[in-house]
Amino acid sequence: MSKWILHTHCEVEQKTFLISSAAVLLGGLTLILLWRIVQTHLVPWIKQRCTLAPASGQPTENEERTDGRTDVSTRVRHFVELLLSAQSFMGRVLFIAADDKLKFWLELTSIVDFFTITPVFISVYLRKNWLGLRFLRALRLLELPKILQLLKITTTSSAIKLSNLLAVFLSCWLTAAGFIHLLENSGDPWLEDNVHHMDYFQCIYLLMVTFSTVGYGDTTAETTLGRIFIILSIIGGMVLFASQVPEIAHIVGSHKKYSGFHVVAGGRKHVVVVGHFTMDSVTSFIREFLHEDRGNITTDVLFIGEILPTLELEALIKCNIQSTFFHGSVLDHKDLIRVKMENVDAVLVFANRYCSNPDHEDATNIRRVASIKTYYPHVRVITQILQTHNKAHVQNIPSWDWRIGDSILCLSELKLGFMAQGCLVPGLSTLLTNLCSMKVDAEVKQGSWQWHFLDGSSNSLMTEILSNAFVGMSFSDACRLCFVKMNIVLMAIEYRTSEGFSILVNPSAHVVLQENTTGFFIARSLADVQRASLYCSLCHANIIDPLLIRKCACKQRAAHYQVSDHYLLTSVRSRSLGVLPTSDYRPSTSEQKGSSNPTLDSTGMFHWCKAVPLKQATLTHQTAAQMEFQNHIVVSLFGYIGLQDFVMPLRTSNFSYQELKPVIFLGPLRHLRREWKSIQHFPKLFVFPGSGLSCANLRAVNIYQCSMCVVMSSNWTHRTKYLEDTECTQATRNVRSMQFKTRIGNTAALLLPSDGKEPVCRIPVITKLNDASNITFIQQEMPADHKRPVTNAIFTTAFASGSVFSASFLDCLMSVTYYSCNILPLLQTLVTGGSTPELEEQLADDYALKMSQHNTKHFAPQDRSKLSLIPLNAQGMSDINGNTYGELFCSALACGIICFGVYRLFDESNQCQTRYVIARPGKDFPLQATDLLYCLVPCREQTCPLKFGAEKSSETSQGRNQIHQLFHSSEILTSIV
């Protein structure tokens, strides 16, 4: 009986504690609602009833009554606020400061105070203690992340997110354990003696085992209310456990994995790669950067990214022991310290080629470069830029310095330059790509076209300082010496002028080599190139075997290493690409007496004309038929391209005006209208509104007699990787399907077979793809020894023939530029037509060319070598002969011509086949009568026996004979160096 009385008494006390807390909550809520009713309805009514006070004099009786009511109202309000202040001074302050009293009263923290603070006062009155709902204080942990942020303990996004997750998980866990503890120790109210004594730790253990779905069964809830709460908590607990715990583990694991510090090992260098990473770009970069042909590489690669890598990218980085990923940003100085930026060998910045806003992407990368240069001005930076006009913003960074190897790789400039040169010299893009990328190991049949193609791709562009034995030689003599003695091809030099440095490709005879001249070579290995710096005219004059050219101790060669500090500090103050400064150029007598004075821009680099309105340049079907275009270039566009970078190499000044080929842009007028302003000063440009997917539009621009058809699309779309080049692949197949029959005779045509029937002629096409893997979707004719489709892009006939070019091929240039900073300027010279500081300044100013002064003659810019594709039976080649590549090289060099590649038929017996590229074959490589030669031809007519624009053959009156002449008869395919 006494036990029952005691249990009943305890229940009464528990209800007292609960009722007091509930009374405070509900009573305060009632008073707040009543006060809102009074303020909303009663106060406005009273104000309307009150009379206005007089303007002056003593206060009236109404004023005194009003003041009295106001004083009483104020006291009542203060009393209510004191009553509702949650029994504490801080609660009163928070309540008074709250804008919305009702919202504050119903907040979670306020409710926790009601059920935890109020029972304290009741326990003092009853002189008894009850734990009750004090476990609700665990919900206060939800405020912990805010406190940590105010104290600036958590500053990073991952730390803030982790603190929020931990606060939610711990507060829910501890609060639920408190409810179990209360229900089990109180028992079911409708049963007697149903109390299950459990301590708080057992309740915590029970919930953890339950939430994790382990369920050992050693501790269970025995009361009905406890079991009901377990059922309800399992639903929310499993969701909480399944979502919060893995995310917490991921943040903790990632933070530990990617937040460390780089440790610099003795004797090892490291480079930092930042920017936009993709699986393809990282794969290409690592393959080129850590290629086994580069020897023993002691350089670590550190990737620092602002977002965590994907699983595929993480696996790729882990597979290379020399690469490591760090989570961070180069905009944060703390992250720069983590990767030891003060000791870095170079920083490489990658751009997102597929972004929707290229200017924003360039601005982001420029900001990264500026951050690096601000904290570490002497660190070498190699950055990719998407748009040409953004190069000036990089060069405006105060600490940007060519002398330490800072380089800008402009993707738009190089891509469109490669495409422009492909219009004039088919296959050149593939040849230069092979010279810049490392050799691909593959098992192919010896003697097959794949074997010759891979053998040519084993050559690379390299640089080396020439020994003093070359000082005073002409370029032709130095080139002959390098080829005969060392089996390497010298194609350009870095020439020191009064205004700085200039890279000259196959310069004129009046240019002689200076001391410490840097040479640009095509060679198979670095050891072959290094012999140019070891050569001594006294010790190695009678040596035939290149392997015997080694370091000697004579004084003539020792002077090569004596380079003054003044030379190192002032050598790269300014640099021209392909052009000598006017002050260093000596025009010949024939040039000075020449009457031809073409209209050029103010720099003398390009042909120029007055602005042509777009309406005047726009063609219709009727006007296009009247002009009867022949030997022209048709450009099929899909989207915004940036045509100025494409047109400039086609309008360089070392072409005569008669040699300029008309260019017809076929595409939507809205895109052409946007770009016309940048190209309106170049001559012989036309616009035809339409689409390359329409055969009628292609016939209207006389596609059958064009010298090249170019298919290009914008890089910046929102499609997936495999749908990027949909329009380009369809347009290319559409153009190739437009074939017609023609009589070829005995000429070596660049045509395709037609199943043993009468040969058919197809329009030559070069396509720009955004993704190299889409090469396989372009229809291509398979050689006779080809049995199945090719998945590797470099083994497709489309790539081997140079009829496609992809921007992904340029990823290897980052590695090439790191190992040799002068290779990139050489490529810019070859594919863009050269540059001068004056031209860079003018383009940076308003991105447009200006007309030169009246009667100004620009001799130096016009004296540039031309890249040419020469058939062996071309007019003027009678003095150049040889059965092997070595014999022909020496014979052509006597005329100032440098042969550095062969364009060969896939099948010599079938002259209707396409061709493939062989870069710099060996000396004993046998030539075929149908071969075409890639050559560097001097521009001066008196030094070159070849005549550009020579007489046409007797077959020019029919069908495709313009194309036959261009590739196989007396004309030479020329492009700019």
Side-chain angles (χ1 to χ4, degrees):
M1 184 68 180
S2 60
K3 186 176 181 180
W4 178 83
I5 295 175
L6 180 62
H7 178 70
T8 303
H9 184 67
C10 292
E11 288 184 353
V12 173
E13 292 178 348
Q14 292 177 5
K15 292 178 181 179
T16 302
F17 283 106
L18 293 175
I19 291 173
S20 64
S21 300
V24 173
L25 173 63
L26 297 176
L29 183 61
T30 302
L31 291 176
I32 292 174
L33 293 176
L34 289 175
W35 182 255
R36 284 200 170 189
I37 293 174
V38 169
Q39 284 186 326
T40 305
H41 300 285
L42 187 59
V43 173
W45 180 79
I46 293 175
K47 289 182 178 180
Q48 291 178 0
R49 302 281 297 179
C50 292
T51 59
L52 296 175
S56 60
Q58 298 295 327
T60 62
E61 184 180 356
N62 291 334
E63 281 184 319
E64 294 178 355
R65 292 177 182 177
T66 303
D67 293 341
R69 283 195 301 268
T70 303
D71 184 61
V72 173
S73 175
T74 302
R75 292 179 181 180
V76 172
R77 186 185 64 185
H78 287 172
F79 177 76
V80 173
E81 290 176 351
L82 179 62
L83 182 64
L84 305 179
S85 60
Q87 298 85 29
S88 66
F89 175 76
M90 183 59 66
R92 178 182 177 184
V93 173
L94 294 176
F95 181 79
I96 294 174
D99 295 331
D100 191 344
K101 302 294 191 296
L102 180 62
K103 181 179 179 181
F104 174 80
W105 194 258
L106 296 178
E107 283 182 353
L108 180 62
T109 55
S110 299
I111 295 175
V112 170
D113 289 341
F114 298 147
F115 286 94
T116 56
I117 298 178
T118 306
V120 174
F121 294 93
I122 302 300
S123 63
V124 173
Y125 176 76
L126 297 177
R127 296 182 180 179
K128 290 187 178 182
N129 190 18
W130 180 57
L131 293 177
L133 300 175
R134 293 185 184 181
F135 59 83
L136 291 177
R137 293 178 182 176
L139 294 175
R140 286 285 188 180
L141 290 173
L142 295 174
E143 301 295 323
L144 182 61
K146 298 180 181 178
I147 298 174
L148 295 177
Q149 292 182 49
L150 292 175
L151 296 177
K152 296 183 179 181
I153 297 176
T154 55
T155 56
T156 63
S157 59
S158 59
I160 295 173
K161 186 176 182 180
L162 180 61
S163 63
N164 288 326
L165 293 174
L166 287 175
V168 172
F169 179 77
L170 291 176
S171 60
C172 294
W173 181 23
L174 297 178
T175 303
F179 272 110
I180 292 294
H181 180 264
L182 174 63
L183 296 176
E184 289 296 308
N185 286 277
S186 299
D188 297 326
W190 60 85
L191 296 177
E192 297 182 7
D193 195 16
N194 190 30
V195 177
H196 178 211
H197 295 287
M198 293 180 65
D199 58 28
Y200 188 66
F201 178 77
Q202 287 180 319
C203 297
I204 293 176
Y205 170 76
L206 172 62
L207 283 178
M208 179 56 66
V209 172
T210 304
F211 289 167
S212 62
T213 68
V214 176
Y216 289 116
D218 53 346
T219 302
T220 59
E222 297 183 359
T223 63
T224 303
L225 291 178
R227 292 176 179 177
I228 292 174
F229 182 81
I230 287 292
I231 294 173
L232 297 176
S233 63
I234 285 176
I235 299 174
M238 290 185 65
V239 173
L240 182 68
F241 199 91
S243 61
Q244 303 279 5
V245 174
E247 194 167 359
I248 292 173
H250 177 70
I251 293 176
V252 174
S254 301
H255 182 74
K256 183 178 180 181
K257 187 187 305 181
Y258 300 122
S259 61
F261 289 77
H262 176 65
V263 179
V264 179
R268 296 189 65 86
K269 299 181 292 185
H270 70 282
V271 298
V272 175
V273 182
V274 302
H276 181 78
F277 308 136
T278 62
M279 189 68 181
D280 294 336
S281 62
V282 174
T283 302
S284 177
F285 172 75
I286 291 179
R287 182 179 62 247
E288 295 291 332
F289 191 86
L290 303 177
H291 199 277
E292 58 183 6
D293 289 349
R294 298 194 186 277
N296 185 19
I297 300 176
T298 59
T299 304
D300 297 325
V301 182
L302 309 184
F303 294 90
I304 178 169
E306 299 173 5
I307 59 175
L308 296 176
T310 61
L311 295 178
E312 296 84 358
L313 186 57
E314 182 181 11
L316 175 63
I317 294 176
K318 285 183 177 180
C319 289
N320 296 273
I321 60 175
Q322 293 179 251
S323 59
T324 311
F325 185 86
F326 290 87
H327 186 214
S329 173
V330 293
L331 302 179
D332 189 350
H333 187 228
K334 296 179 180 178
D335 293 329
L336 297 179
I337 296 175
R338 289 170 50 207
V339 296
K340 299 295 186 295
M341 188 62 70
E342 69 276 5
N343 300 324
V344 76
D345 197 43
V347 178
L348 287 73
V349 183
F350 279 81
N352 181 11
R353 298 196 306 267
Y354 307 110
C355 65
S356 58
N357 190 345
D359 287 324
H360 180 267
E361 177 68 14
D362 284 345
T364 302
N365 287 329
I366 293 171
R367 181 68 183 87
R368 293 188 176 110
V369 175
S371 175
I372 297 169
K373 286 293 187 178
T374 299
Y375 294 113
Y376 304 96
H378 301 293
V379 169
R380 179 188 176 195
V381 177
I382 303 171
T383 180
Q384 289 183 344
I385 292 295
L386 298 179
Q387 301 283 62
T388 306
H389 59 267
N390 291 323
K391 290 173 59 178
H393 301 303
V394 182
Q395 296 169 344
N396 290 337
I397 297 175
S399 54
W400 186 265
D401 193 350
W402 288 94
R403 294 173 296 181
I404 61 176
D406 292 339
S407 302
I408 303 174
L409 200 155
C410 182
L411 298 181
S412 176
E413 179 183 63
L414 291 174
K415 285 184 299 185
L416 297 177
F418 274 107
M419 296 296 292
Q421 301 301 344
C423 297
L424 304 173
V425 184
L428 181 65
S429 60
T430 296
L431 188 146
L432 294 179
T433 300
N434 288 343
L435 292 178
C436 293
S437 58
M438 302 303 294
K439 181 180 179 181
V440 178
D441 295 329
E443 294 184 1
V444 294
K445 181 181 178 181
Q446 186 173 2
S448 62
W449 75 266
Q450 294 96 335
W451 187 86
H452 290 298
F453 180 75
L454 287 180
D455 184 67
S457 65
S458 62
N459 293 281
S460 300
L461 288 173
M462 302 180 185
T463 61
E464 186 59 59
I465 298 179
L466 298 173
S467 68
N468 284 346
F470 291 89
V471 175
M473 288 187 181
S474 66
F475 181 83
S476 298
D477 294 337
C479 185
R480 180 187 300 275
L481 178 61
C482 290
F483 185 79
V484 173
K485 291 287 186 180
M486 309 165 206
N487 196 23
I488 55 178
V489 175
L490 175 65
M491 61 186 308
I493 58 172
E494 189 178 42
Y495 188 76
R496 187 166 65 255
T497 66
S498 59
E499 300 180 8
F501 262 57
S502 179
I503 295 178
L504 303 179
V505 180
N506 190 18
S508 303
H510 72 275
V511 176
V512 296
L513 273 64
Q514 305 162 328
E515 186 180 357
N516 300 308
T517 298
T518 299
F520 296 83
F521 302 90
I522 300 178
R524 292 183 178 269
S525 66
L526 184 60
D528 294 341
V529 174
Q530 289 175 344
R531 296 189 183 102
S533 64
L534 302 176
Y535 180 78
C536 175
S537 59
L538 299 178
C539 304
H540 305 140
N542 299 323
I543 291 179
I544 299 177
D545 188 0
L547 298 177
L548 299 179
I549 300 178
R550 301 171 183 173
K551 183 178 180 181
C552 63
C554 65
K555 295 182 179 179
Q556 179 182 4
R557 197 202 155 276
H560 167 71
Y561 293 100
Q562 298 175 1
V563 182
S564 65
D565 294 336
H566 177 75
Y567 168 80
L568 294 175
L569 293 175
T570 62
S571 59
V572 199
R573 183 176 301 170
S574 61
R575 179 173 4 202
S576 297
L577 302 181
V579 184
L580 273 175
T582 305
S583 58
D584 293 79
Y585 184 78
R586 298 190 302 272
S588 62
T589 305
S590 59
E591 287 179 324
Q592 294 177 353
K593 295 180 179 180
S595 58
S596 61
N597 187 19
T599 304
L600 306 178
D601 70 303
S602 58
T603 64
M605 298 288 292
F606 303 97
H607 286 272
W608 191 90
C609 67
K610 293 183 179 180
V612 179
L614 178 61
K615 184 177 181 180
Q616 180 179 341
T618 303
L619 301 174
T620 62
H621 286 75
Q622 182 178 2
T623 56
Q626 293 175 354
M627 299 189 71
E628 297 182 353
F629 288 104
Q630 292 184 357
N631 196 25
H632 57 294
I633 299 173
V634 177
V635 183
S636 178
L637 304 175
F638 297 94
Y640 177 80
I641 303 297
L643 292 177
Q644 183 173 5
D645 293 326
F646 176 79
V647 174
M648 288 173 69
L650 301 176
R651 294 295 179 262
T652 47
S653 59
N654 58 343
F655 280 113
S656 66
Y657 185 83
Q658 291 72 22
E659 291 175 325
L660 300 182
K661 295 183 179 182
V663 181
I664 303 177
F665 296 104
L666 175 63
L669 193 59
R670 66 180 185 276
H671 297 310
L672 295 169
R673 184 180 293 109
R674 178 183 175 186
E675 301 201 50
W676 184 253
K677 183 178 180 181
S678 63
I679 60 175
Q680 62 183 345
H681 289 287
F682 293 106
K684 297 186 181 181
L685 301 183
F686 303 92
V687 171
F688 190 92
S691 173
L693 299 175
S694 171
C695 293
N697 291 336
L698 294 174
R699 294 190 188 96
V701 296
N702 200 11
I703 192 70
Y704 294 117
Q705 296 194 22
C706 73
S707 64
M708 183 63 69
C709 177
V710 184
V711 181
M712 294 189 290
S713 67
S714 174
N715 294 333
W716 309 295
T717 63
H718 299 279
R719 302 179 181 178
T720 61
K721 170 183 176 181
Y722 299 103
L723 297 179
E724 283 288 338
D725 303 303
T726 302
E727 291 89 353
C728 284
T729 54
Q730 291 178 355
T732 301
R733 289 194 295 265
N734 185 46
V735 173
R736 288 182 175 176
S737 66
M738 299 178 66
Q739 57 190 25
F740 59 93
K741 297 179 181 180
T742 181
R743 296 182 59 86
I744 299 179
N746 295 325
T747 59
L750 286 174
L751 306 176
L752 299 176
S754 182
D755 300 329
K757 301 178 182 179
E758 186 176 0
V760 295
C761 180
R762 289 187 180 177
I763 298 97
V765 184
I766 179 170
T767 307
K768 183 178 78 71
L769 298 178
N770 293 330
D771 190 84
S773 62
N774 292 324
I775 292 180
T776 56
F777 299 109
I778 296 180
Q779 180 182 353
Q780 52 185 333
E781 297 293 338
M782 301 296 177
D785 58 345
H786 220 79
K787 303 299 182 183
R788 53 187 176 182
V790 180
T791 56
N792 193 337
I794 66 171
F795 289 114
T796 59
T797 56
F799 176 72
S801 62
S803 59
V804 294
F805 179 78
S806 174
S808 57
F809 295 142
L810 298 178
D811 289 336
C812 62
L813 289 183
M814 295 294 282
S815 300
V816 173
T817 305
Y818 167 74
Y819 287 108
S820 180
C821 61
N822 284 324
I823 295 299
L824 179 59
L826 175 64
L827 282 179
Q828 293 172 336
T829 305
L830 292 172
V831 303
T832 66
S835 177
T836 62
E838 181 184 0
L839 176 62
E840 292 285 344
E841 182 178 355
Q842 187 176 129
L843 293 178
D845 185 20
D846 52 5
Y847 200 58
L849 300 177
K850 301 177 182 178
M851 182 180 179
S852 62
Q853 298 296 328
H854 186 62
N855 294 330
T856 301
K857 291 188 177 182
H858 301 275
F859 296 114
Q862 297 182 66
D863 186 17
R864 287 175 283 170
S865 295
K866 301 179 182 181
L867 281 167
S868 306
L869 188 59
I870 306 176
L872 290 178
N873 57 356
Q875 182 178 354
M877 289 289 289
S878 58
D879 297 333
I880 303 175
N881 50 51
N883 296 323
T884 62
Y885 171 76
E887 295 175 355
L888 184 134
F889 182 91
C890 296
S891 179
L893 193 59
C895 301
I897 301 174
I898 299 177
C899 301
F900 61 96
V902 175
Y903 204 31
R904 172 165 290 187
L905 292 170
F906 281 105
D907 185 4
E908 187 183 11
S909 61
N910 185 355
Q911 297 186 10
C912 295
Q913 267 287 0
T914 54
R915 297 175 179 267
Y916 64 96
V917 173
I918 305 176
R920 200 270 181 200
K923 286 184 177 181
D924 298 330
F925 181 80
L927 297 176
Q928 299 175 358
T930 56
D931 286 341
L932 305 178
L933 304 175
Y934 291 99
C935 300
L936 291 168
V937 181
C939 182
R940 291 186 177 182
E941 296 183 359
Q942 64 269 23
T943 61
C944 179
L946 302 174
K947 297 181 180 179
F948 300 95
E951 295 181 1
K952 304 181 184 297
S953 64
S954 59
E955 299 181 359
T956 57
S957 59
Q958 297 184 9
R960 290 286 299 151
N961 288 334
Q962 291 285 344
I963 301 296
H964 302 331
Q965 277 187 332
L966 183 63
F967 288 93
H968 327 292
S969 183
S970 59
E971 282 192 344
I972 300 172
L973 302 178
T974 60
S975 79
I976 295 306
V977 175

